[in-house]
Amino acid sequence: MRKRFHLALLFAGVVAYVAYATPAVAQATAPSCDCQQAVGACSASIAVRPVEATTIGSYASELRFTSSAPACSKINYYVDGTPYFNVLVSGNTGADNIWGQKQITRANITDISCQVCKQVAMTPVPQEKKPENSELKPTLFDGQWFGTGTNSFGSAQRWTLNFATTAAGKAAITGTMEGSFPTMPISASGTVSGSTLSWADRQTTCSAKLLTDVSLAFECHGQGSVQLVMRRQ
């Protein structure tokens, strides 16, 4: 199956606007900030600076965030009508990148709001005292995701991926990729690091980066490449 998945990337490609701003899905659950509990309001601003894109046919911009609160600011905003958020955990400034097939400017960002999350202190539990299965907790990746796009050879694709936590920081990836060719089965093991799940299959590397709790940016690179936004099913 892994070999078939590798061959599927001969049909991989690039689709329209994919936002890679880290909308703090993972940051919102950082140990020092509990954004499920808002303790106040804050004011925030976002500045946009174009940067050099690394992918042919795409544009990149750096978003710079500033909050009136000293820490634990959750900044909500929209980019071309799509909601995102970032959390400034340990200070009142931060930066992240966003890119797509058109240049993002300050005019594309609307409805900025800011809330102060509750600061919490967590006491580490010694690893040796925890049961082996105590780390096996579902992550925001767990579940089924679906996305469509056009590959670099101009062929339409339909991706269905299932993610399931198998151990702390590890996940199983299964699913299918459909197009103008026989359906390709997918089976791999991945590593979770913050808001990104990544895996490799010989000459192919893939990653899924959470944008919100119901959307993620998916990409694979090998003998071709594909980049698209997937939605939770």
Side-chain angles (χ1 to χ4, degrees), residues 16-192:
Y17 179 68
V18 180
Y20 271 88
T22 306
V25 172
Q27 294 177 11
T29 58
S32 59
C33 302
D34 181 2
C35 287
Q36 298 299 316
Q37 302 184 60
V39 296
C42 48
S43 59
S45 63
I46 301 176
V48 180
R49 182 179 70 88
V51 297
E52 181 180 355
T54 58
T55 302
I56 296 177
S58 67
Y59 298 86
S61 295
E62 181 184 61
L63 303 186
R64 296 182 176 180
F65 306 93
T66 303
S67 170
S68 60
C72 284
S73 300
K74 180 184 178 184
I75 301 175
N76 302 279
Y77 57 98
Y78 285 75
V79 178
D80 289 337
T82 300
Y84 297 93
F85 62 91
N86 279 70
V87 175
L88 306 181
V89 177
S90 58
N92 71 330
T93 61
D96 213 334
N97 290 333
I98 189 169
W99 63 275
Q101 287 190 317
K102 66 177 182 179
Q103 186 64 65
I104 304 302
T105 68
R106 180 61 182 79
N108 298 101
I109 301 176
T110 59
D111 300 323
I112 301 173
S113 62
C114 184
Q115 71 180 54
V116 181
C117 303
K118 181 179 180 180
Q119 296 190 42
V120 297
M122 298 187 68
T123 303
V125 177
Q127 190 70 27
E128 62 274 7
K129 295 184 179 180
K130 298 166 67 177
E132 290 185 2
N133 63 352
S134 65
E135 293 288 349
L136 191 57
K137 299 178 181 178
T139 70
L140 290 175
F141 287 102
D142 285 25
Q144 185 177 80
W145 302 79
F146 175 79
T148 60
T150 303
N151 65 21
S152 56
F153 300 101
S155 177
Q157 294 184 336
R158 293 165 52 89
W159 288 77
T160 301
L161 295 177
N162 299 281
F163 301 132
T165 300
T166 56
K170 300 293 182 182
I173 302 98
T174 57
T176 58
M177 192 271 282
E178 304 170 74
S180 55
F181 43 81
T183 297
M184 300 293 181
I186 298 166
S187 180
S189 296
T191 300
V192 179

Side-chain angles (χ1 to χ4, degrees), residues 194-215:
S195 61
T196 301
L197 169 59
S198 58
W199 62 97
D201 179 30
R202 297 184 181 180
Q203 298 179 17
T204 299
T205 58
C206 305
S207 67
K209 186 172 185 178
L210 290 166
L211 300 176
T212 69
D213 58 352
V214 295
S215 65

